[in-house]
Amino acid sequence: MAKSTVERAKASEASSTSKSEEGDIQRTELVDTYRLMLRIRRLEESVYKKFHEAKIGGYLHRYDGQEALVAGVVPQLQIPGDYILSTYRDHAHALACGTTAKAVMAELMGRATGCAGGKGGSMHLIDPDNGFLGGDGIVGGPVPISLGVGWALKYRQTKNICVCYFGDGAMNQGGVHEAFNMVGLYKLPILYILENNQYAMGTSVERSTGQPDFVLKAKAHGITGERVDGMDVLTVREAAARAIAHIREKGEAYFLELTCYRYVGHGIGDDNTGGQKNYRTEEEVADWKMRDPLLKLRDTLEARGFLTTQDVEKMEAEIKQEVDEAIAFAEASSEPPLDSLYENVYSE
Amino acid sequence: MAKSTVERAKASEASSTSKSEEGDIQRTELVDTYRLMLRIRRLEESVYKKFHEAKIGGYLHRYDGQEALVAGVVPQLQIPGDYILSTYRDHAHALACGTTAKAVMAELMGRATGCAGGKGGSMHLIDPDNGFLGGDGIVGGPVPISLGVGWALKYRQTKNICVCYFGDGAMNQGGVHEAFNMVGLYKLPILYILENNQYAMGTSVERSTGQPDFVLKAKAHGITGERVDGMDVLTVREAAARAIAHIREKGEAYFLELTCYRYVGHGIGDDNTGGQKNYRTEEEVADWKMRDPLLKLRDTLEARGFLTTQDVEKMEAEIKQEVDEAIAFAEASSEPPLDSLYENVYSE
Amino acid sequence: MATMRYQQALRLAMTEEMERDPNVFLCGEEVAQYQGTYRVSEGMLQKFGPNRVVDTPISEIGIAGMATGAAMVGLRPIAEFMTWSFALEAMDVLVNHAAKITYMSGGRIKCPVVFRGPAGVGTQLSAQHSQSFESWYAHAPGFKVVLPYSAADAKGLLKTAIRDNNPVIFMEHAGLYGQQGEVPDDPEFLVPFGQAAIRREGSDITLVSYSRGVSLCLKAAEQLAKDKIECEVIDLRTLVPLDMDTVIASVRKTHHAVVAQEEWRNVSMVSELSARIHEQAFDDLDAPVERVGGADVPMPYAKNLESAAIPTERDVIAAVKRALA
Amino acid sequence: MATMRYQQALRLAMTEEMERDPNVFLCGEEVAQYQGTYRVSEGMLQKFGPNRVVDTPISEIGIAGMATGAAMVGLRPIAEFMTWSFALEAMDVLVNHAAKITYMSGGRIKCPVVFRGPAGVGTQLSAQHSQSFESWYAHAPGFKVVLPYSAADAKGLLKTAIRDNNPVIFMEHAGLYGQQGEVPDDPEFLVPFGQAAIRREGSDITLVSYSRGVSLCLKAAEQLAKDKIECEVIDLRTLVPLDMDTVIASVRKTHHAVVAQEEWRNVSMVSELSARIHEQAFDDLDAPVERVGGADVPMPYAKNLESAAIPTERDVIAAVKRALA
Ligand SMILES: Cc1ncc(C[n+]2csc(CCOP(=O)(O)OP(=O)(O)O)c2C)c(N)n1
Ligand SMILES: Cc1ncc(C[n+]2csc(CCOP(=O)(O)OP(=O)(O)O)c2C)c(N)n1
Ligand SMILES: [Mg+2]
Ligand SMILES: [Mg+2]
């Protein structure tokens, strides 16, 4: 989807969209945004079950509640050309880049047909052909890498950009600051998206930072930025459009802090052990769910007459089928051959 | 010197000194400050010769031009009790803490009588009994350590503080940012002194930072700070007094960026190869020398009648003797015994 | 004696030492309010309060610096790495500071700090989270390197580590946290460093390992006993200091040895053990020392590949058969 | 053929490869305007401009990330660490990212990056600056590990490293920078990885080393020749991949071996070499393989202690005498 030329055209329109024009954005584009968020939500909702069936192993981090952060940004990118980096909480990013649900689900199940041939797993989804340079199991890990990707884009004198996602907890990693400073110094075309879902595992932002204004932390290294509501995908779209335009024109980085919330536990362990009780209340979770990005956009779309209940039911059915087929595909796929254990340690 | 009770009393006075009262600071204290700067200058001037005589080896970093940064701060500390950490450019810090010129020179020559028994050398002078926790060969290295020292002081509910020196280049080290953030979060009694001598080896500040306001970088982590003229020891004294009072009262960190200049090369290699020609002009060096902290204080003292030419000549003679004796002592001292090679890998 | 899990034994060791010495404190990610990622520190915040059980930001350099600096001025910190993989971020503080300050200061500074946390392979945690690097820490002088296998050792070695005046690399195996064992209640129960434990006596071949590798060897020994092959199983407990006397005495008796670990085999602890046994018991050996280790690849995610990358008792048995062939 | 210093040969390799391939660039601290801390990149800024010879802040994590990320999208970066000691700061990027991305991506991402710089002991640079950790990099899968001894290899191996599609750990010995040697001018002169060089032929004992350790062995061999002891001296050139065939073939001929390196001996490359030789040539050995390595202590500053900590040809000679005793 993100690859279609239509999208690419729209992306450039979007880049020059001002608040007033926002209302005129084509129906299809907004509906596609809703569809993407719904695809992410439904896919995420399916994975815990597969874990409990021992079809998925390892760590498993879901994106429920944060959908707007990718749906409001990635469709505006030029893929191929632009690059995306994210954390271990990366299923949504892969889907948004255009990785099929089948390739994602097969990777989660460690099958040869997975986007990383089964060698990466949930934290390491990757799809270079679609611009997705992968998740990363190390907090803050993608940020020093983004510096190199941004450097390459500038070195090659392209107009492309790198979008790098990372969490609020990652702001406390030294490597992030080294990279920010160098990105500020070299003026590299990178869009930083801070997924501020309020917690790093069980540690709230207040309990982990000496100074909670993350935009100031970016500014301290020479990177402009702003904080916007990450629960409203239209707001995210606008901010991303502004940011992307700024980057492509000025050829320098931009920092977006998107406030959002993670509905489920940090990872499946957190849900299984009920560890969440140690750091947040059910009321708090409920309050944030009132601001659900999918409900919000659906209301807008229905109000504007862009979407009917029937449309949504149809969409739900299509997506259910997509997810079911992805699961069936993954389960039917074979594990990587044993002799591939020693393959890919090196490239030819 | 820094250990005397007189000093301790004065230190507390100093802590409450305001600009207006500055004029009344006792003669002895200012004269001691001048003497300390002169001792540092003369000792530093003696070391290259010893290197060329192959009496001193390894790297060798001098403090000429930056004397005010230690002479304006360390005498105000409560030693023992307070702690000091510095970089590999650490001869001045050791002297200011009260380490004898003999123990310093013997360490530079790798003798058993050195402050580290000859095992540390120029970059690793250390003298815990005098509160000096050592130089550090790693850029930014002292800063994460200072976090632990500050933590211990708070943990023990003392009113003591830790003073941590580091260079402008160190601001680009991730560990410095991790530590700053935690110091801001935990509110620890640490005075950070950024020795901004304009260059990190051959790299000027402008060529190494995305945003040159270092005070803002500290603020971004919740640490208050200010930038002051490090070429004027009285200004440094005042700022340090303010900072120390703030830390002891509020129990939280303070950041001082002291602008200064390194007269000689980064290290002796830089002087030998003439590498300096690649990054700075002789004019620039000459301009900064016009602002020499020793000349400036001497003028003030002579103007105030605190110091006569005769006093200075006497002081020079005493210091020359001190340095000569230190060299004689070091040269007469024996190398560490060979069987000490395997000692001190572990403590009992 | 009480039966408890390895994980509880670790908690007991920390609790007893914190009760004994007010200079001991614990810091790390999620150790306090969250009760520990693996519940090792469960209840300790409630017992000792936030000044002694300290949650940190996700800043491994900061954590290592906090612990090292505090140790340099007389506290006895225990720093938890959520997993040892993340200690890679703090390598400069660990190797260039904690491990060297005593030597660089000519012995004037002590650095009594324990760095601890889960190490080794979990279950499908992929390449970045399935490793432990004990071989690295054993290579760099200045550390003591400790990897408990039994629940009793988890307690006794951790208490010794906390009382040691040097930086101790204390690696717990996540796969052993749930393992039950008999643990002495005695608050003075200390397991000395540098004394290997003979977990099983045997006369035909010596199996040397540590941490979870010991269980591979014990399982293999059981199997082999059925074929009348009697293995002596040695648990090193600490890699630095290393108890070669026990190993060599056993090899002089059995004339055969297999050294085993779960981690990557190339340039590792089993390489060192093999070299030393050959050096010190060459004439007693009837066959070269056999090494068992993990596959030299980043850990794959897929269950079948992961299983293939981790050594099992079958690999130990095969090595024994090669040695005795 | 031209006579030039090791250091110049490195510069020539980088210059030729940058002329050949616009995707190659050099970044690091003081590599450009300052002309290189050890003058390795002297003149390259003037020749290639600031986009291809890039000064960085003192940010090793940033440098490693810059090089790794750029390599992931098709550039061929050469990142210089001012010394390998400082790479400790970037260990996570090196080991958990550069070395693993190809495997974690199932081969979908290539990472053609060279990390290079001076390694090993200098002259009285103290504990934090006198070390190189090649044994660590050889332990962690995903790297190629290269340590040139001769000026010709400095050129030929670096060119091969730059053209390799994988992360290469390229360690230069500061003590060899000034060493002269004959270096082929041929811009296609490449020294393949995994092919050891026999620096001297001999029939009595095999000496295996790399980097500056080779010169210790050659000096020892000269001395020993006077006592009619003929040593075969093997320069491994690359530790990963490792050319054991050449080593084993030699040992089968000489029946004795000494493995030598300058770095800490415990759990190191010489441990691995000893283990492998014993495993692969046990029956051909008349005596156990002898290891020569640096003292297992942080490097002391004092000249006499430093000299005592670094192995010399005397240590190699002593080891040979033990082996032949
Ligand atoms: C360097 C490092 N330290 C610790 C961890 C363990 N860990 C994994 S996720 C996580 C929390 C990260 O929180 P945040 O950055 O806010 O991202 P979020 O999970 O909220 O999306 C931690 C501590 C890690 N993976 N890497
Ligand atoms: C982590 C690390 N990287 C690089 C070096 C090499 N190095 C030593 S001093 C120095 C310059 C430091 O400049 P600055 O911090 O401004 O301190 P100054 O020398 O000016 O006092 C560099 C790059 C080092 N010692 N440590
Ligand atoms: Mg978060
Ligand atoms: Mg400087």
Side-chain angles (χ1 to χ4, degrees), chain C residues 18-31:
Chain C
M18 283 176 70
E19 282 166 339
R20 175 177 176 272
D21 181 351
N23 288 325
V24 179
F25 71 96
L26 171 68
C27 63
E29 295 158 18
E30 308 296 352
V31 297

Side-chain angles (χ1 to χ4, degrees), chain A residues 88-106:
Chain A
Y88 43 83
R89 196 178 300 286
D90 60 358
H91 309 164
H93 308 74
L95 284 179
C97 287
T99 311
T100 65
K102 285 179 174 164
V104 168
M105 191 60 73

Side-chain angles (χ1 to χ4, degrees), chain A residues 83 85 107 114-117 119-121 124 126-130 132-133 135-138 141-142 144-149 151-157 174-176 178-179 181-182 185-186 340-348, chain D residues 21-25 50-52 54-70 72-75 89 92-93 96-97 99 101-111 141-144 164-167 240:
Chain A
Y83 288 111
L85 288 159
E107 190 58 40
C115 56
K119 279 182 170 154
H124 302 288
I126 191 160
D127 191 0
D129 304 341
N130 283 311
F132 186 45
L133 294 178
D136 192 328
I138 299 303
I145 301 299
S146 72
L147 156 62
V149 174
W151 173 266
L153 293 173
K154 182 178 184 180
Y155 184 92
R156 293 215 175 100
Q157 296 168 347
V176 169
E178 289 195 9
N181 181 62
M182 289 171 76
L185 176 67
Y186 298 139
S340 69
L341 177 64
Y342 288 93
E343 288 167 12
N344 309 131
V345 176
Y346 297 106
S347 303
E348 280 321 298
Chain D
D21 181 350
N23 288 324
V24 179
F25 71 96
N51 197 37
R52 297 188 68 192
V54 187
D55 277 327
T56 67
I58 308 170
S59 305
E60 285 74 15
I61 305 174
I63 293 165
M66 179 174 176
T68 303
M72 285 169 62
V73 293
L75 296 188
E89 314 250 354
D92 172 74
V93 180
N96 256 344
H97 290 84
I101 187 63
T102 299
Y103 197 83
M104 292 191 299
S105 66
R108 293 187 72 184
I109 297 235
K110 286 187 171 55
C111 193
F143 294 117
K144 300 198 177 172
D164 194 280
N165 280 327
N166 298 282
V240 180

Side-chain angles (χ1 to χ4, degrees), chain B residues 168 195 197 199-200:
Chain B
D168 46 284
E195 301 169 315
N197 58 9
Y199 293 92

Side-chain angles (χ1 to χ4, degrees), chain B residues 30-346:
Chain B
L30 284 188
V31 171
D32 284 348
T33 302
Y34 183 73
R35 176 187 298 276
L36 175 56
M37 292 203 290
L38 199 60
R39 290 175 65 228
I40 294 167
R41 178 69 58 91
R42 297 299 175 238
L43 184 113
E44 292 293 40
E45 287 169 347
S46 76
V47 296
Y48 274 15
K49 181 156 173 298
K50 291 296 142 187
F51 185 96
H52 292 304
E53 292 171 9
K55 297 256 171 61
I56 295 175
Y59 294 137
L60 192 56
H61 311 89
R62 286 166 54 173
Y63 213 63
D64 315 41
Q66 305 181 209
E67 294 86 352
L69 276 60
V70 297
V73 177
V74 176
Q76 299 187 58
L77 300 178
Q78 295 169 11
I79 293 173
D82 294 340
Y83 288 111
I84 296 85
L85 288 160
S86 79
T87 74
Y88 43 83
R89 196 178 299 285
D90 59 358
H91 309 164
H93 308 75
L95 284 179
C97 287
T99 310
T100 65
K102 286 179 172 161
V104 168
M105 193 59 74
E107 189 58 38
L108 298 189
M109 295 196 194
R111 307 307 170 104
T113 53
C115 57
K119 280 182 169 155
S122 166
M123 299 192 289
H124 302 288
L125 299 181
I126 192 161
D127 191 0
D129 303 342
N130 283 311
F132 186 45
L133 294 177
D136 191 328
I138 299 303
V139 168
V143 181
I145 301 299
S146 73
L147 155 62
V149 174
W151 172 266
L153 294 173
K154 182 178 184 181
Y155 184 92
R156 293 217 176 96
Q157 294 168 346
T158 69
K159 275 264 159 238
N160 286 108
I161 74 170
C162 173
V163 181
C164 179
Y165 287 84
F166 58 100
D168 46 284
M171 285 302 294
N172 304 318
Q173 280 284 310
V176 169
H177 291 272
E178 290 195 10
F180 276 12
N181 181 62
M182 289 170 77
V183 167
L185 176 66
Y186 298 140
K187 307 219 171 306
L188 304 180
I190 306 173
L191 171 55
Y192 285 112
I193 296 196
L194 172 54
E195 301 169 315
N196 186 352
N197 58 9
Q198 318 303 319
Y199 293 92
M201 272 185 80
T203 307
S204 65
V205 168
E206 305 67 52
R207 297 204 305 122
S208 66
T209 186
Q211 190 285 112
D213 178 354
F214 292 131
V215 175
L216 180 63
K217 293 194 190 232
K219 287 211 177 96
H221 297 300
I223 300 177
T224 350
E226 57 182 303
R227 183 181 312 97
V228 305
D229 176 6
M231 300 301 279
D232 178 359
V233 72
L234 296 186
T235 311
V236 174
R237 276 178 61 97
E238 274 184 59
R242 268 198 307 281
I244 293 168
H246 176 100
I247 298 165
R248 294 204 204 269
E249 282 154 28
K250 294 222 172 67
E252 67 181 28
Y254 202 94
F255 176 90
L256 280 182
E257 176 185 346
L258 301 180
T259 50
C260 57
Y261 200 75
R262 143 170 77 68
Y263 289 175
V264 299
H266 166 70
I268 190 160
D270 198 18
D271 283 292
N272 292 344
T273 63
Q276 294 169 72
K277 291 188 196 59
N278 295 317
Y279 63 89
R280 65 183 190 179
T281 64
E282 280 161 14
E283 296 63 39
E284 180 181 296
V285 180
D287 288 349
W288 279 90
K289 285 186 173 173
M290 303 281 286
R291 299 170 51 189
D292 186 69
L294 278 76
L295 293 180
K296 194 163 194 171
L297 179 58
R298 181 174 169 173
D299 291 348
T300 314
L301 292 180
E302 292 186 347
R304 294 195 195 169
F306 287 179
L307 204 64
T308 67
T309 319
Q310 292 70 13
D311 299 330
V312 176
E313 281 165 2
K314 184 157 167 300
M315 213 183 266
E316 288 277 14
E318 289 162 2
I319 292 172
K320 180 174 188 320
Q321 187 180 357
E322 181 187 13
V323 173
D324 292 346
E325 282 173 7
I327 290 169
F329 170 81
E331 293 181 346
S333 299
S334 55
E335 295 182 308
L338 275 183
D339 55 23
S340 68
L341 177 64
Y342 288 92
E343 289 168 12
N344 309 131
V345 176
Y346 297 106

Side-chain angles (χ1 to χ4, degrees), chain A residues 88-89 137 139 167-170 197 199-200 266, chain C residues 29 58 60 86 89:
Chain A
Y88 43 83
R89 196 178 300 286
V139 168
D168 45 285
N197 59 9
Y199 294 91
H266 166 71
Chain C
E29 295 158 18
I58 308 170
E60 284 75 14
F86 312 141
E89 314 250 355

Side-chain angles (χ1 to χ4, degrees), chain A residues 66 88-89 166-170 194-201 203 205 260 262 266, chain C residues 58:
Chain A
Q66 305 181 208
Y88 43 83
R89 196 178 300 286
F166 58 99
D168 45 285
L194 171 53
E195 301 169 315
N196 186 352
N197 59 9
Q198 318 304 319
Y199 294 91
M201 271 185 80
T203 308
V205 168
C260 56
R262 141 171 78 68
H266 166 71
Chain C
I58 308 170

